[in-house]
Every structure is written in C-alpha cells, then in structure tokens.
Amino acid sequence: VAKQRAVRKKRERYHHGNLRRALVDEAVRTMRKSGVGALTLRGAGAALGVSRTALYRHFADKDALLAAVARDGFVGLKGALDAARGRAAALADQLTEMGFAYVRFAAENPAHYRVMFGGFLDRCARDPDLLADAGAAFQALVGAIVDLQREQRIRQDDPQQLARFVWAAVHGIAMLAIDGQLGPEPDAGVTLFRDSADRIRAALA
Amino acid sequence: VAKQRAVRKKRERYHHGNLRRALVDEAVRTMRKSGVGALTLRGAGAALGVSRTALYRHFADKDALLAAVARDGFVGLKGALDAARGRAAALADQLTEMGFAYVRFAAENPAHYRVMFGGFLDRCARDPDLLADAGAAFQALVGAIVDLQREQRIRQDDPQQLARFVWAAVHGIAMLAIDGQLGPEPDAGVTLFRDSADRIRAALA
DNA sequence: ACCTGAACACCGTTCAAGT
DNA sequence: ACCTGAACACCGTTCAAGT
C-alpha cells in the first residue's frame, strides 16, 4: 500500500514538471550500473512508468538528454572540487586535494564523466548552458591557482593558461584510468596522480 | 574499363584474405569523414561491394572490428612518434617534438584516436594483441625518457612512472582538444601543448 | 503535459542453403 | 571464404488522436 502511494505521488509530481529531472536521474542511474551503451529512451521511460514518447515533451532528442546529464555531471564535479578545496588544511595543499577529488570523481562515475567530455562542442550546440556549467567547474581550478599566485607560491603566468595545463594533466590521468589504460586496478588513476602530484607542483614552481 | 578491372582485382584479393584489411581501412575512412557514429557494418560491406554477413568471416562482431581499428591506430601513432624523435635536432628536443606529433596525430584523426582509447580494457579482451600495439607506442615515449636520463638531462625517477605522467599530460591535451573543450579552434591542442611544453620540462627537471 | 498505439527507417546478429 | 535471402530483437523518432 505504501508502495502504491509512492507511485501515485511520483506520478503526480511528473505532472508538475519533474519528469525532466527524473529522466536525468534515471539516465545517470542506468549509466552507472550498465554503461552509457545500456541507456535507451524506451528503457528510461519504462523504468519511470511513463510512455516511450513522454520525454519528447522535455528533450528534443536523446542527445539533448545526454547534454542535461553532462550538465548535471559538471555541477557535481564542481561540488567535489569546492569541497576538496575547503578540506585542505594549508593553501599549498588545495591544488593537490582538488586533484585527488577530480580523479576520484572520474573513477567513481566513469560513464557520467565520459558523457561530460565526449563530443563536448557538439553537445554545447544542443544546450548552451552546458558551456556555463563546465566553465564553472573549470573556474574552481582557476580560483585555486590565482590564490596560490597571490601568495607567491607558484609562477606568475597567465592563470587561465596554467589552469589549462593542470586540467589537461588531471583529465589525462582520469581518462587513462577510466579506459583501463593504466591497468585493471580500479584505483590506478589515484595512484598515478599520487605519483604525479610532485611533478605538477614542480611544473608550476 | 580500368575501373572494372580494379573492382575485379579487388574482388579477387578478398578471396585471398585481404577483406579483413579492406574492412579496417573502410572503417577508418568512414570514421574520418563522418565520425564513429556513422560506421555501420552494413554500410562498410556495401562500400566494399561485399555482402552484409561477409565480415563475420573475419571479425566476431562489430567490437572486434573496432579493436582492429584501434590496433591500426596505435601502429600509426608509434610511427608518428618515432618519426618525430628522428626529426629532433638535439636530444633535448626529442620529447617536445614527440609531444607535438602526438597532439597533432590526435587532432588529425579524432575519431580514430577516440576508438583507440575508449573502453580500452574491454577491447583488449576482444583482441589481446591490442595491448601489445598500445604498449609499443608507449615504449617510444619511455625510450626517449630513458635516453634523457642517461645523459643526466632529467630526474632519475622510475622511467615508466615519468612516462605515464608525460603521457597523461599529452593525452589530456589531445582529448580536451578533440572534444572541443579548449574552444572551437582546430589547433587548440597544439597551442596548449606549445604553452605547456616548458611546464612539462620543468616537471621532469 | 501527459497518454496509447501504430508506424518508419535503421541497426547488429543469426541462420539456412548455396558456390 | 565468400554469396543470397530471410528473419529476429531492438533502436530513435514521428504522428494521429486522445485526456
């Protein structure tokens, strides 16, 4: 009976405009369990007790849904980076802590991470807000670098350029790890970042 | 008439066991023109004047074909890296030259590059030789680092570990560029590597 | 802002029966 | 080592007609 009521309640909420949110969550859930290849619009609809065509009221097509999934991912990534920055005891540790958080985010959400970055430009054409969400995550990194520059802890180059370099290094580690290119160990990415943190520090000195 | 003969000749070769090679080439061609999403087994067969089911004589399924495409890519990447290393005037320039070649390879073959790295571990299960081809490309990088160490030009850490760091940095630049995350400019990756080469050098010093 | 139901074109893959 | 031809299950997407 309680279950019945839960379903009823859910149903009602869909009519209040939450189907969009529910679809993104369902897509993320499916991807986490079975990869992005397992995500089908028909399956997502069925899982939510909604017709196959209902989602076209909220998304132009499958790619638009994936763009929303990507945006959701960048919001989560920014949250993880901000939290890591706050956790750092000393200013000098902020960037390292953020690097660990970044690689860990990717390792824990591999399918989601791939959607965030795969064909980014094409997805931005579908949903211009994606660019802003991705930019916000990137700015968390730029902010940490600007702070370090202000305290004279790292070189005074263009912070955007330095941030791009650090981003590429961490993104490369995350991607290689996700794709299994660093070996089958699930924490291969975290390990490589641990080994590389001193190199990155030296690069910025 | 000449065309007719070419087709005839091609046909004959297929029966000599070259259909496998022709399928890989056709897949690469299609991906280059229209992306990996445009690659279909039916289309590849039609383009080669071969039945829809003929390729199952050479590949277990579509993923096995993509594994062969990935292997082909790693062979090409290793060739580009070796050539770049040979081009370098001084020993100190080898790594930089290889970095440019790497990023350029990815920029010129984006779809191919994605197939090489996407789901690498899963693809290795399909075709164990993929691991060897990828390893050979990686060893080109390790070799350059070992040479620099022998001449005391860079730090004496574990060369495999240093190579992984450099690889991740360059891979990250290449991936961000391919996905348009560095902006719509087609040479955004090469530009970022140019800006980052000094950082990487400092990291290895 | 949803529903049902039917339909379209396009997939990967399998199989039977040939040469 | 290829072929033809038929079939299966599964896609994304569209449309008409409802509530």
Side-chain angles (χ1 to χ4, degrees):
Chain A
V1 182
K3 198 175 177 183
Q4 196 86 6
R5 204 160 48 205
V7 171
R8 238 269 223 61
K9 222 170 169 185
K10 224 184 254 173
R11 284 267 172 129
E12 280 163 14
R13 276 217 309 269
Y14 291 167
H15 288 268
H16 290 207
N18 283 24
L19 178 57
R20 186 190 163 90
R21 182 71 243 169
L23 279 166
V24 173
D25 290 341
E26 175 59 29
V28 170
R29 214 174 301 132
T30 302
M31 283 164 34
R32 181 188 306 281
K33 213 198 340 174
S34 316
V36 71
L39 175 64
T40 70
L41 299 186
R42 298 162 112 104
L48 295 175
V50 132
S51 83
R52 264 169 355 271
T53 61
L55 61 272
Y56 287 97
R57 295 283 138 195
H58 297 277
F59 300 101
D61 52 25
K62 191 179 184 180
D63 238 49
L65 170 59
L66 285 176
V69 167
R71 287 187 57 189
D72 178 81
F74 278 112
V75 171
L77 176 58
K78 176 177 160 42
L81 292 178
D82 286 341
R85 198 174 165 193
R87 262 200 314 275
L91 178 68
D93 298 332
Q94 280 189 3
L95 215 54
T96 308
E97 205 66 46
M98 290 170 79
F100 275 115
Y102 191 105
V103 174
R104 215 177 287 124
F105 178 91
E108 285 166 4
N109 311 283
H112 206 154
Y113 190 83
R114 277 204 201 90
V115 170
M116 290 161 61
F117 287 90
F120 181 76
L121 206 61
D122 298 342
R123 257 188 250 293
C124 281
R126 299 249 151 211
D127 189 342
D129 293 328
L130 174 55
L131 197 67
D133 287 335
F138 178 63
Q139 281 307 312
L141 183 57
V142 175
I145 283 181
V146 168
D147 275 8
L148 284 166
Q149 286 183 321
R150 198 176 297 132
E151 301 289 324
Q152 319 277 358
R153 305 293 271 265
I154 60 171
R155 57 180 24 246
Q156 302 291 324
D157 288 13
D158 173 22
Q160 290 275 340
Q161 194 174 293
L162 285 183
R164 280 187 164 199
F165 164 70
V166 173
W167 185 28
V170 178
H171 178 62
I173 292 173
M175 273 299 202
L176 290 177
I178 283 179
D179 290 328
Q181 199 97 29
L182 301 176
E185 308 84 14
D187 59 344
V190 174
T191 299
L192 180 55
F193 179 75
R194 200 194 326 279
D195 294 340
S196 301
D198 282 340
R199 303 298 105 243
I200 294 175
R201 248 189 299 274
L204 301 181
Chain B
V1 181
K3 199 175 177 182
Q4 195 85 7
R5 202 158 51 203
V7 170
R8 237 270 223 62
K9 223 172 174 183
K10 227 184 251 174
R11 284 266 172 130
E12 280 163 15
R13 276 216 309 269
Y14 292 168
H15 287 269
H16 289 206
N18 282 23
L19 178 56
R20 186 189 163 90
R21 181 70 243 169
L23 279 165
V24 172
D25 290 342
E26 175 58 29
V28 169
R29 214 174 301 132
T30 303
M31 284 164 35
R32 181 187 308 279
K33 213 196 340 172
S34 317
V36 71
L39 175 63
T40 70
L41 299 187
R42 298 163 111 103
L48 294 175
V50 133
S51 83
R52 265 170 352 270
T53 60
L55 60 271
Y56 286 97
R57 296 281 137 196
H58 296 276
F59 300 101
D61 52 24
K62 191 180 184 179
D63 237 48
L65 171 60
L66 285 176
V69 167
R71 288 187 57 189
D72 179 80
F74 278 111
V75 170
L77 177 58
K78 176 176 159 44
L81 292 179
D82 287 341
R85 199 174 167 193
R87 262 199 314 274
L91 178 67
D93 298 333
Q94 281 188 4
L95 215 53
T96 307
E97 205 66 46
M98 288 170 80
F100 275 116
Y102 190 105
V103 174
R104 214 176 287 125
F105 178 91
E108 286 166 3
N109 311 282
H112 207 156
Y113 190 82
R114 277 203 200 91
V115 170
M116 289 161 61
F117 287 89
F120 180 76
L121 206 61
D122 298 343
R123 256 188 252 292
C124 281
R126 298 251 150 211
D127 189 341
D129 293 330
L130 174 55
L131 196 67
D133 287 335
F138 178 62
Q139 282 307 314
L141 183 56
V142 175
I145 284 183
V146 168
D147 276 8
L148 284 166
Q149 286 183 322
R150 197 176 298 134
E151 301 288 325
Q152 318 278 358
R153 306 292 271 266
I154 60 171
R155 57 180 22 246
Q156 301 291 322
D157 287 14
D158 172 23
Q160 290 275 339
Q161 193 175 293
L162 285 183
R164 279 187 166 200
F165 164 71
V166 174
W167 186 28
V170 178
H171 178 62
I173 292 172
M175 274 296 203
L176 290 177
I178 283 178
D179 290 328
Q181 200 95 31
L182 300 177
E185 308 84 14
D187 59 345
V190 173
T191 301
L192 179 53
F193 179 76
R194 202 194 324 280
D195 293 340
S196 301
D198 282 340
R199 304 297 105 243
I200 294 175
R201 247 189 299 273
L204 300 181

